[in-house]
Amino acid sequence: MSLLPAERAFKRFVPILSRIKKLRAPDDFHHFIFLNTYLTEVKHVSVVPTSSMMAAIESYQETAVYKVTTSHAQLEVASFLKSFEPRFACEVFYKDLDTHLDIADEASKIVVDMDGHKHNKLNQSTSEYFRRPLDLMRDAVLLARGWKVYRIRPDEWRGFKETFATKMTERSTLEAFYKMYAITA
């Protein structure tokens, strides 16, 4: 039985990852940290960075500067969630993954990601949107760590608000939100 093209590419890529000697740009560090976590925790593939690579990653994490923006829709979703659970916060830095969680309650391990235009790509042949592979991998890591993950686009939020306009303070509306936007393994 032959491997599918994606599986062949994956099997070729993993050995290369551990031989990378240098990362140049902040995104390179971010993606390496994240990809290594994904491979280890979700795919159960061990990638051992060199000691110089580990030192470079640690130095990067100590000096990294993050530019974070919060959209109006994100603030609205956060306000909606906070009305039920005040521990929700916007732009929670999750150091292990070198990333920000759009809206999160760390105590209950719930994260809501707002997917703007950068997070969805249009399949030209089907005219359907699909999520970026990086987002799918991030969801897989968070789910593997016991988080409940929800993703919503601003246009979906507008539709949700219109549908539940008179019931936004009812717990059943929160349950509907969780049911509609849950990401499962």
Side-chain angles (χ1 to χ4, degrees):
M1 183 183 294
S2 67
L3 293 174
L4 297 171
E7 292 169 328
R8 281 194 304 265
F10 180 78
K11 287 197 176 288
R12 288 181 190 151
F13 173 74
V14 171
I16 293 169
L17 187 63
S18 62
R19 290 193 296 248
I20 293 174
K21 302 264 191 265
K22 196 181 236 183
L23 300 173
R24 290 177 175 78
D27 278 351
D28 294 341
F29 282 96
H30 170 75
H31 292 124
F32 183 87
I33 292 165
F34 181 77
L35 187 56
N36 193 29
T37 304
Y38 172 76
L39 291 171
T40 304
E41 295 182 18
V42 176
K43 291 293 190 178
H44 307 292
V45 175
S46 179
V47 177
V48 181
T50 63
S51 58
S52 61
M53 177 66 82
M54 285 307 297
I57 290 168
E58 289 170 12
S59 174
Y60 157 75
Q61 288 180 312
E62 290 171 5
T63 61
V65 176
Y66 300 91
K67 180 183 176 199
V68 178
T69 57
T70 306
S71 70
H72 181 69
Q74 181 178 347
L75 292 172
E76 284 185 349
V77 172
S79 177
F80 165 70
L81 295 169
K82 283 180 180 186
S83 70
F84 296 98
E85 179 49 67
R87 294 182 306 213
F88 275 102
C90 285
E91 299 303 337
V92 175
F93 184 64
Y94 194 34
K95 187 174 181 179
D96 288 5
L97 293 181
D98 191 51
T99 192
H100 283 83
L101 305 175
D102 290 342
I103 305 165
D105 174 0
E106 291 181 282
S108 62
K109 294 183 101 170
I110 296 174
V111 62
V112 177
D113 275 331
M114 298 295 297
D115 286 349
H117 66 279
K118 299 183 305 185
H119 294 271
N120 294 284
K121 303 292 182 189
L122 179 65
N123 180 330
Q124 297 295 333
S125 61
T126 65
S127 295
E128 292 181 9
Y129 284 95
F130 62 95
R131 291 202 166 98
R132 295 182 314 170
L134 189 62
D135 290 332
L136 296 173
M137 289 188 298
R138 179 174 137 152
D139 293 347
V141 169
L142 290 168
L143 289 167
R145 291 180 172 192
W147 285 76
K148 294 176 188 127
V149 180
Y150 304 90
R151 284 188 172 275
I152 185 170
R153 294 188 320 260
D155 61 314
E156 292 173 326
W157 172 245
R158 283 189 297 276
F160 184 86
K161 281 192 320 185
E162 289 170 10
T163 303
F164 294 96
T166 60
K167 301 177 182 180
M168 291 300 276
T169 59
E170 296 177 15
R171 181 150 296 282
S172 59
T173 304
L174 176 66
E175 292 165 6
F177 176 89
Y178 284 150
K179 186 175 180 181
M180 292 171 74
Y181 303 110
I183 301 297
T184 57

